[in-house]
Protein backbone atom coordinates (compact mmCIF):
# COMPACT_ATOMS: atom_id res chain seq x y z
CA UNK A 1 0.00 0.00 0.00
CA UNK A 2 1.47 3.34 -1.04
CA UNK A 3 1.67 6.51 1.04
CA UNK A 4 -1.03 8.19 -1.03
CA UNK A 5 -3.39 5.21 -0.67
CA UNK A 6 -2.99 5.31 3.13
CA UNK A 7 -3.65 9.06 3.05
CA UNK A 8 -6.84 8.54 1.03
CA UNK A 9 -8.22 5.96 3.50
CA UNK A 10 -7.30 8.17 6.47
CA UNK A 11 -9.12 11.15 4.95
CA UNK A 12 -12.17 9.01 4.16
CA UNK A 13 -12.35 7.74 7.76
CA UNK A 14 -11.95 11.27 9.14
CA UNK A 15 -14.78 12.51 6.90
CA UNK A 16 -17.06 9.71 8.12
CA UNK A 17 -16.13 10.44 11.76
CA UNK A 18 -16.81 14.17 11.26
CA UNK A 19 -20.20 13.46 9.67
CA UNK A 20 -21.22 11.16 12.50
CA UNK A 21 -20.17 13.63 15.20
CA UNK A 22 -22.07 16.46 13.49
CA UNK A 23 -25.13 14.25 13.05
CA UNK A 24 -25.33 13.17 16.69
CA UNK A 25 -24.53 16.67 17.96
CA UNK A 26 -27.67 17.96 16.19
CA UNK A 27 -29.99 15.36 17.72
CA UNK A 28 -32.31 16.76 20.42
CA UNK A 29 -31.64 15.87 24.02
CA UNK A 30 -34.04 13.38 25.56
CA UNK A 31 -34.52 13.29 29.34
CA UNK A 32 -35.56 9.75 29.97
CA UNK A 33 -35.20 7.70 33.11
CA UNK A 34 -34.06 4.13 32.38
CA UNK A 35 -36.48 1.39 33.42
CA UNK A 36 -35.82 -1.09 36.18
CA UNK A 37 -35.59 -3.85 33.57
CA UNK A 38 -32.87 -1.92 31.70
CA UNK A 39 -30.86 -1.25 34.87
CA UNK A 40 -31.18 -4.89 35.90
CA UNK A 41 -29.95 -6.06 32.48
CA UNK A 42 -26.93 -3.72 32.60
CA UNK A 43 -26.06 -4.90 36.10
CA UNK A 44 -26.23 -8.52 35.02
CA UNK A 45 -23.83 -7.84 32.15
CA UNK A 46 -21.19 -6.47 34.53
CA UNK A 47 -21.72 -9.21 37.07
CA UNK A 48 -21.10 -12.02 34.56
CA UNK A 49 -17.63 -13.27 33.86
CA UNK A 50 -16.25 -12.23 30.51
CA UNK A 51 -16.77 -15.07 28.07
CA UNK A 52 -15.71 -15.43 24.46
CA UNK A 53 -18.79 -16.60 22.59
CA UNK A 54 -19.27 -16.64 18.83
CA UNK A 55 -23.03 -16.05 18.52
CA UNK A 56 -25.05 -15.41 15.32
CA UNK A 57 -25.43 -11.76 16.41
CA UNK A 58 -21.67 -11.37 16.73
CA UNK A 59 -21.16 -13.07 13.38
CA UNK A 60 -23.58 -10.59 11.78
CA UNK A 61 -21.71 -7.66 13.36
CA UNK A 62 -18.40 -8.95 12.01
CA UNK A 63 -19.90 -9.28 8.53
CA UNK A 64 -21.25 -5.72 8.67
CA UNK A 65 -17.89 -4.31 9.81
CA UNK A 66 -16.08 -6.24 7.09
CA UNK A 67 -18.53 -4.89 4.50
CA UNK A 68 -17.94 -1.32 5.69
CA UNK A 69 -14.17 -1.76 5.46
CA UNK A 70 -14.49 -3.32 2.01
CA UNK A 71 -16.68 -0.41 0.95
CA UNK A 72 -14.10 2.14 2.06
CA UNK A 73 -11.33 0.26 0.31
CA UNK A 74 -13.47 0.02 -2.81
CA UNK A 75 -14.05 3.78 -2.78
CA UNK A 76 -10.34 4.42 -2.48
CA UNK A 77 -8.96 1.80 -4.84
CA UNK A 78 -11.67 0.86 -7.33
CA UNK A 79 -13.63 4.03 -7.93
CA UNK A 80 -10.39 6.03 -7.97
CA UNK A 81 -6.96 5.32 -9.41
CA UNK A 82 -4.58 6.86 -6.87
CA UNK A 83 -1.39 6.71 -8.94
CA UNK A 84 1.01 8.98 -7.09
CA UNK A 85 4.29 7.15 -6.59
CA UNK A 86 6.50 10.21 -6.30
CA UNK A 87 9.55 10.00 -4.08
CA UNK A 88 9.74 13.24 -2.09
CA UNK A 89 13.09 14.69 -1.02
CA UNK A 90 13.41 17.87 1.03
CA UNK A 91 15.92 20.37 -0.34
CA UNK A 92 15.84 23.19 2.19
CA UNK A 93 12.57 25.00 1.54
CA UNK A 94 11.96 22.99 -1.65
CA UNK A 95 10.63 19.51 -2.34
CA UNK A 96 12.11 17.42 -5.12
CA UNK A 97 9.66 15.00 -6.72
CA UNK A 98 11.01 12.01 -8.66
CA UNK A 99 9.62 8.64 -9.73
CA UNK A 100 11.16 5.17 -9.26
CA UNK A 101 12.34 2.99 -12.12
CA UNK A 102 9.84 1.29 -14.37
CA UNK A 103 8.45 4.32 -16.20
CA UNK A 104 9.00 5.36 -19.81
CA UNK A 105 12.56 6.38 -20.63
CA UNK A 106 11.42 8.64 -23.45
CA UNK A 107 8.16 10.10 -24.64
CA UNK A 108 6.57 7.71 -27.10
CA UNK A 109 3.12 9.34 -27.11
CA UNK A 110 2.69 13.09 -26.64
CA UNK A 111 -0.31 14.32 -24.65
CA UNK A 112 -1.62 17.89 -24.61
CA UNK A 113 -4.78 19.70 -23.47
CA UNK A 114 -7.49 20.28 -26.05
CA UNK A 115 -9.21 22.84 -23.81
CA UNK A 116 -7.95 26.14 -22.34
CA UNK A 117 -9.99 28.86 -20.64
CA UNK A 118 -11.50 31.56 -22.77
CA UNK A 119 -9.08 34.30 -23.82
CA UNK A 120 -5.89 32.25 -23.40
CA UNK A 121 -3.82 31.89 -26.57
CA UNK A 122 -0.94 29.49 -27.26
CA UNK A 123 2.41 31.23 -27.67
CA UNK A 124 4.93 28.42 -27.30
CA UNK A 125 5.03 24.66 -27.95
CA UNK A 126 7.77 22.01 -27.81
CA UNK A 127 7.40 18.29 -28.54
CA UNK A 128 10.33 15.87 -28.53
CA UNK A 129 11.23 12.53 -26.91
CA UNK A 130 12.23 14.19 -23.61
CA UNK A 131 9.51 16.77 -22.98
CA UNK A 132 6.20 18.06 -24.24
CA UNK A 133 5.55 21.66 -23.27
CA UNK A 134 2.90 24.19 -24.24
CA UNK A 135 2.23 27.67 -22.84
CA UNK A 136 -0.82 29.89 -23.10
CA UNK A 137 -1.16 33.55 -22.18
CA UNK A 138 -3.89 36.08 -21.51
CA UNK A 139 -2.23 39.45 -20.97
CA UNK A 140 0.20 38.80 -18.07
CA UNK A 141 -1.47 35.54 -16.97
CA UNK A 142 0.16 32.30 -18.13
CA UNK A 143 -0.88 28.65 -18.16
CA UNK A 144 2.05 26.27 -18.57
CA UNK A 145 1.67 22.52 -19.18
CA UNK A 146 4.44 19.92 -19.44
CA UNK A 147 4.80 16.18 -19.94
CA UNK A 148 8.09 14.50 -19.01
CA UNK A 149 9.76 11.17 -19.42
CA UNK A 150 10.30 10.44 -15.68
CA UNK A 151 13.79 8.99 -16.05
CA UNK A 152 15.00 12.22 -17.63
CA UNK A 153 13.53 14.74 -15.21
CA UNK A 154 12.56 15.60 -11.66
CA UNK A 155 10.34 18.41 -10.45
CA UNK A 156 11.31 20.83 -7.68
CA UNK A 157 8.75 23.08 -5.95
CA UNK A 158 8.97 25.62 -3.14
CA UNK A 159 6.96 24.03 -0.33
CA UNK A 160 8.26 26.06 2.60
CA UNK A 161 4.88 27.30 3.82
CA UNK A 162 2.45 25.55 1.48
CA UNK A 163 2.42 21.73 1.72
CA UNK A 164 0.95 19.63 -1.06
CA UNK A 165 -2.66 18.47 -1.06
CA UNK A 166 -4.15 15.54 -2.98
CA UNK A 167 -7.15 16.09 -5.25
CA UNK A 168 -8.97 13.91 -7.75
CA UNK A 169 -9.85 15.07 -11.23
CA UNK A 170 -11.92 12.37 -12.86
CA UNK A 171 -10.12 9.23 -11.72
CA UNK A 172 -6.69 10.89 -11.76
CA UNK A 173 -5.02 11.76 -8.46
CA UNK A 174 -2.92 14.94 -8.48
CA UNK A 175 -0.70 16.80 -6.05
CA UNK A 176 -1.47 20.50 -6.00
CA UNK A 177 -0.24 23.60 -4.22
CA UNK A 178 -1.49 27.19 -4.27
CA UNK A 179 1.32 29.73 -4.14
CA UNK A 180 2.51 32.91 -5.85
CA UNK A 181 -1.01 33.48 -7.29
CA UNK A 182 -0.84 30.15 -9.15
CA UNK A 183 -1.90 26.58 -8.71
CA UNK A 184 1.02 24.21 -9.18
CA UNK A 185 0.00 20.66 -10.06
CA UNK A 186 1.93 17.45 -10.66
CA UNK A 187 0.70 13.95 -11.42
CA UNK A 188 1.67 10.75 -13.17
CA UNK A 189 -0.20 8.03 -15.02
CA UNK A 190 2.13 5.05 -14.78
CA UNK A 191 4.09 6.07 -17.88
CA UNK A 192 4.87 9.79 -17.68
CA UNK A 193 5.07 12.73 -15.30
CA UNK A 194 2.93 15.82 -15.86
CA UNK A 195 2.98 19.32 -14.40
CA UNK A 196 0.92 22.44 -14.83
CA UNK A 197 0.78 25.97 -13.44
CA UNK A 198 -2.42 27.96 -13.79
CA UNK A 199 -3.53 31.27 -12.23
CA UNK A 200 -5.49 30.51 -9.07
CA UNK A 201 -7.86 33.38 -9.82
CA UNK A 202 -9.50 30.97 -12.26
CA UNK A 203 -12.17 28.64 -10.82
CA UNK A 204 -10.99 25.14 -9.91
CA UNK A 205 -13.46 23.86 -12.50
CA UNK A 206 -11.17 25.28 -15.20
CA UNK A 207 -8.28 23.22 -13.84
CA UNK A 208 -10.46 20.13 -14.03
CA UNK A 209 -11.57 20.90 -17.60
CA UNK A 210 -7.97 21.29 -18.79
CA UNK A 211 -6.76 18.03 -17.24
CA UNK A 212 -9.80 16.09 -18.39
CA UNK A 213 -9.23 17.37 -21.94
CA UNK A 214 -5.66 16.03 -22.19
CA UNK A 215 -5.31 13.55 -25.04
CA UNK A 216 -2.74 12.10 -27.43
CA UNK A 217 -1.58 14.39 -30.22
CA UNK A 218 0.48 13.91 -33.36
CA UNK A 219 4.00 15.25 -33.04
Amino acid sequence: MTKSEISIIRKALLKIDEWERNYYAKLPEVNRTPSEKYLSSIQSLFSKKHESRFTPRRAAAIIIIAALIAGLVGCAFVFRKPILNFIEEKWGDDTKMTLPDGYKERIEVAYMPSYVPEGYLQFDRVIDDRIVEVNYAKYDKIISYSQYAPTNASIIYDTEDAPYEVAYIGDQAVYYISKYNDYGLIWEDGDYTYSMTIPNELPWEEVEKIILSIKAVES
Side-chain angles (χ1 to χ4, degrees):
M1 187 179 295
T2 67
K3 183 178 179 181
S4 61
E5 292 170 344
I6 294 172
S7 175
I8 292 163
I9 291 178
R10 184 183 295 116
K11 289 182 179 180
L13 292 173
L14 288 173
K15 281 291 183 183
I16 292 171
D17 179 68
E18 180 183 5
W19 179 87
E20 288 183 342
R21 284 188 284 107
N22 291 336
Y23 173 78
Y24 288 113
K26 293 178 181 177
L27 292 176
E29 293 186 7
V30 178
N31 296 321
R32 183 178 179 182
T33 303
S35 66
E36 290 295 331
K37 183 178 180 182
Y38 172 82
L39 293 175
S40 175
S41 297
I42 293 297
Q43 184 62 37
S44 65
L45 287 175
F46 283 100
S47 62
K48 290 180 180 180
K49 293 183 180 180
H50 177 72
E51 298 178 358
S52 175
R53 294 179 299 170
F54 191 76
T55 64
R57 181 174 295 180
R58 289 187 180 184
I62 292 171
I63 292 172
I64 291 171
I65 293 170
L68 288 172
I69 294 173
L72 287 174
V73 173
C75 289
F77 301 108
V78 178
F79 182 68
R80 303 294 195 181
K81 293 194 308 182
I83 305 175
L84 283 175
N85 295 322
F86 290 102
I87 299 169
E88 303 179 22
E89 300 176 70
K90 293 296 293 182
W91 284 26
D93 296 335
D94 299 331
T95 300
K96 180 182 178 183
M97 316 291 285
T98 56
L99 287 171
D101 296 335
Y103 290 76
K104 298 289 186 182
E105 297 184 0
R106 64 184 185 87
I107 293 177
E108 300 172 359
V109 180
Y111 292 91
M112 292 177 59
S114 58
Y115 169 84
V116 291
E118 184 177 356
Y120 281 83
L121 301 175
Q122 180 180 312
F123 70 88
D124 185 35
R125 168 173 158 160
V126 175
I127 298 179
D128 60 34
D129 63 354
R130 295 178 298 108
I131 187 172
V132 173
E133 183 173 353
V134 60
N135 297 291
Y136 310 89
K138 181 180 180 181
Y139 305 115
D140 62 337
K141 304 298 183 182
I142 295 177
I143 297 174
S144 181
Y145 162 85
S146 299
Q147 171 192 354
Y148 307 92
T151 56
N152 295 326
S154 59
I155 301 172
I156 298 177
Y157 279 121
D158 177 4
T159 54
E160 177 185 8
D161 54 1
Y164 275 95
E165 298 288 342
V166 178
Y168 284 97
I169 298 176
D171 60 0
Q172 176 64 60
V174 301
Y175 280 137
Y176 76 95
I177 192 170
S178 182
K179 198 166 187 176
Y180 306 127
N181 300 317
D182 286 320
Y183 286 120
L185 301 99
I186 61 172
W187 68 97
E188 52 101 356
D189 62 2
D191 290 326
Y192 305 108
T193 304
Y194 304 84
S195 70
M196 185 172 72
T197 57
I198 179 173
N200 59 15
E201 66 179 25
L202 289 168
W204 182 258
E205 289 77 10
E206 294 293 88
V207 176
E208 295 178 334
K209 287 180 181 179
I210 294 172
I211 292 179
L212 290 173
S213 76
I214 292 172
K215 60 183 181 180
V217 297
E218 296 181 1
S219 58

